[in-house]
Every structure is written in C-alpha cells, then in structure tokens.
Amino acid sequence: MKREYFNSPSLHIEKQTTNSFSSSISELSEETIHNVNGITCREVGIEVRDLGIIKILEATADAQDRLVEVACAVDGELEDDDLRLNSSDPYGAVLWPAASAVCDYLQTEVSKNSPSKSLDGMTILELGTGTGLCAMAAALGGASKVLATDYEEVPLRLLEYAAIHVNNDDTDRTKRLSKIETSLFDICDHETPLPKADIVIAADIMYEPKTGIAMAHRTIEALRAGSRVIIGCSPGRPGRPKFQQVIKELLPNAEADFFEVYGRTCSGPRNDLICGDGSSSVSSVPKPLKVALMDIGPEERNC
C-alpha cells in the first residue's frame, strides 16, 4: 500500500484475542483486538454484496473515550498523551451506516453496469474514508486505483492496517487491496484541488453544516473535472440541507436529488459525544436502515 503527501511513523502492531465483555460489542464469543499506533481497535466483519465479509477496525469503547478526550482538550492540557487529532474529529474511528449502502451500490449499480462488469480500469477517490470500508470494497471490486483520504491521520492508519494485516485471507484479496493509497485531505481546504478520479465517493461526512457546504463545492469541482460523484448520507445529518441548498444554487437544472437505499445500522460501543443515545445509526445487532444516496454524473455539470 502506498501512502502519499505525508510521512508517518511505522505502524506499531500488536494483536491479541480476548473474550467479549459485552453482548453489544460482538455477536461472537470472542473478538480480535489490535493495537495500531497506540489505539486499541476491534475487528468488525461487514457483509458487502458480492464481495463477502470485509473486516474493518473500530476503536474500542476505551479508545473512543480517549479520542474524545483528545478532541475536547485545550492546548497543552494533554501534553503527556502522544495521540493527536489534526481537526479534533474522533468520528472516523468508528463505522457509520451509509458506508454499507455506498459499498453495495458500487457493486450492484456501478460495477455491474460497466462494460467490464467490474470497477476494472477505474480510479476511485474516497473523501472522508473513516474506517475505510468503502475504499476496501472499491479495491476488492476491481478498481485499478483507490485513493482513500481523510483529514485525520487516525482513520488512515486503521485502514492501512486493516488492508494489510486483517484482510489477508488469500493472495487475490491481498493483491487487490494493495491498490489502495492513502492521503491526508481536507474537503474544507479549498486551496487544495481534488485529486483526479473517475468516481468520487463519500459516506456520512456531512455531519456539520460546514462539511455539507464543502461537499457541495467539491461535488461541483469533481463534475467539472469529469468525475462521477456518489454520496451516501444517513438520517439526521445536519450538513445535508446545506449541501442540497448549495447544489441547487450552483446547478439549478441538474438532476441532483437524493434517493433512498438500504444501508445497515452499526453495532458496538459508541461514546455519547460520537453517537448520542437514540441515534438511528446504532443498534444491538446490525439491521436494515434507509439512507439517502446521490449519484450524479459529469453530464450535469453545465445544468
């Protein structure tokens, strides 16, 4: 796996198997725990249509507490903790429902309707990769190159580790996952242009009005560059109304509407500041959840 735009310390790798201490953490009697650069993570297997199980890494409950503490700390308050968050954002260390919807859509609608019946020959750019489920699904679906980006380093480390050390069941999977590259990229930094790609994907990144606005401008930028844009958004995301408002202003005649598809809720512990009580995103076991999805092509860029 190639990493671009920044030099990172070597991955610290530690793996152990522990008994699950809560039925809400895993349906299995045991779960596999990894330590990636000081962040304790658990393996979570996600069923993706036509690809089988893809394993991601999620921060454990204790690790989420630590990430939230770092995110909320004022300058100098946690000098003894070497963990850093570039933008005080702990959300990418856990999975969100729209990711499964985007993965399934790539396999059922994009891949099967392409001439090769796969993503072969395509470059996929993911914005806000988080745990990297979509990036790994794109690579396993045959994409020639996948660039997974995030504005925090923590999710990129978890994805790199999962792709290399967790989803290494067979040689073919390992080879496909080697197509993934990672990069720091902030969608709100409009001084930095989007990397080129055939398809730009994003799942559950409009959790604030400002990220919704930024995603709208990045969508226009991608369309003008000739890219197709696929966005998944779970219920209740505050940034979606702003995204739709800006898109309608900039592309008044384009067919740029969300439609409903099914994703899946996520299970496992969530810090209250990452996902509050009563959220539809989390359930004791994964179950179908309607999420919004948009698929807009470059032909709409001049509407």
Side-chain angles (χ1 to χ4, degrees):
M1 176 180 291
K2 181 180 178 183
R3 185 183 305 118
E4 295 184 342
Y5 304 145
F6 62 93
N7 294 318
S8 67
S10 59
L11 288 173
H12 170 70
I13 300 171
E14 179 181 332
K15 179 177 177 180
Q16 63 188 55
T17 301
T18 66
N19 289 329
S20 176
F21 57 84
S22 170
S23 60
S24 66
I25 289 181
S26 176
E27 294 180 77
L28 303 177
S29 59
E30 292 185 337
E31 61 178 8
T32 303
I33 300 297
H34 300 262
N35 187 304
V36 182
N37 281 17
I39 300 174
T40 307
C41 306
R42 66 190 190 102
E43 283 186 21
V44 181
I46 307 297
E47 180 79 28
V48 175
R49 196 167 300 175
D50 296 337
L51 295 177
I53 298 292
I54 299 177
K55 297 176 184 176
I56 63 161
L57 293 180
E58 277 195 335
T60 61
D62 288 343
Q64 290 176 44
D65 292 345
R66 182 181 171 209
L67 287 165
V68 168
E69 185 179 12
V70 171
C72 296
V74 298
D75 291 343
E77 189 175 12
L78 297 174
E79 291 183 350
D80 294 336
D81 196 325
D82 58 2
L83 177 62
R84 294 290 181 268
L85 293 173
N86 301 330
S87 302
S88 300
D89 182 350
Y91 302 109
V94 296
L95 184 65
W96 299 97
S100 59
V102 171
C103 290
D104 287 347
Y105 189 81
L106 280 175
Q107 296 307 310
T108 59
E109 299 299 325
V110 180
S111 180
K112 289 186 176 179
N113 289 325
S114 70
S116 65
K117 303 301 181 184
S118 74
L119 301 178
D120 182 48
M122 298 183 189
T123 295
I124 309 293
L125 167 65
E126 183 176 19
L127 303 176
T129 192
T131 59
L133 177 64
C134 295
M136 288 191 282
L140 293 173
S144 296
K145 176 181 176 180
V146 179
L147 178 57
T149 70
D150 206 287
Y151 69 173
E152 292 288 1
E153 291 193 23
V154 168
L156 300 180
R157 299 293 173 270
L158 301 189
L159 166 56
E160 291 166 358
Y161 186 102
I164 296 171
H165 300 287
V166 178
N167 291 278
N168 53 359
D169 310 80
D170 59 60
T171 303
D172 182 62
R173 279 204 158 201
T174 301
K175 182 178 179 181
R176 288 178 182 271
L177 291 172
S178 70
K179 304 291 185 180
I180 299 174
E181 301 175 7
T182 62
S183 172
L184 281 174
F185 184 82
D186 185 352
I187 65 168
C188 296
D189 175 14
H190 296 290
E191 298 299 317
T192 305
L194 276 178
K196 292 183 178 180
D198 297 298
I199 302 176
V200 177
I201 61 175
D204 276 332
I205 67 171
M206 294 188 283
Y207 46 83
E208 293 181 345
K210 72 174 184 178
T211 56
I213 293 170
M215 189 63 220
H217 286 283
R218 292 300 190 178
T219 297
I220 302 299
E221 181 183 356
L223 295 176
R224 288 175 176 166
S227 302
R228 180 178 180 179
V229 180
I230 298 171
I231 303 168
C233 192
S234 296
R237 298 295 182 254
R240 195 199 309 175
K242 285 293 187 181
F243 171 87
Q244 292 174 296
Q245 177 185 334
V246 174
I247 287 290
K248 291 299 183 184
E249 290 172 355
L250 299 179
L251 294 177
N253 299 315
E255 293 185 11
D257 297 313
F258 283 98
F259 53 92
E260 286 189 337
V261 297
Y262 277 101
R264 287 176 289 284
T265 60
C266 306
S267 62
R270 293 292 187 275
N271 181 284
D272 287 343
L273 291 181
I274 292 179
C275 187
D277 288 340
S279 171
S280 62
S281 294
V282 180
S283 55
S284 57
V285 295
K287 61 182 181 180
L289 177 71
K290 287 183 178 180
V291 304
L293 192 137
M294 176 180 288
D295 180 358
I296 181 170
E299 65 276 4
E300 303 290 345
R301 60 190 169 185
N302 297 319
C303 294

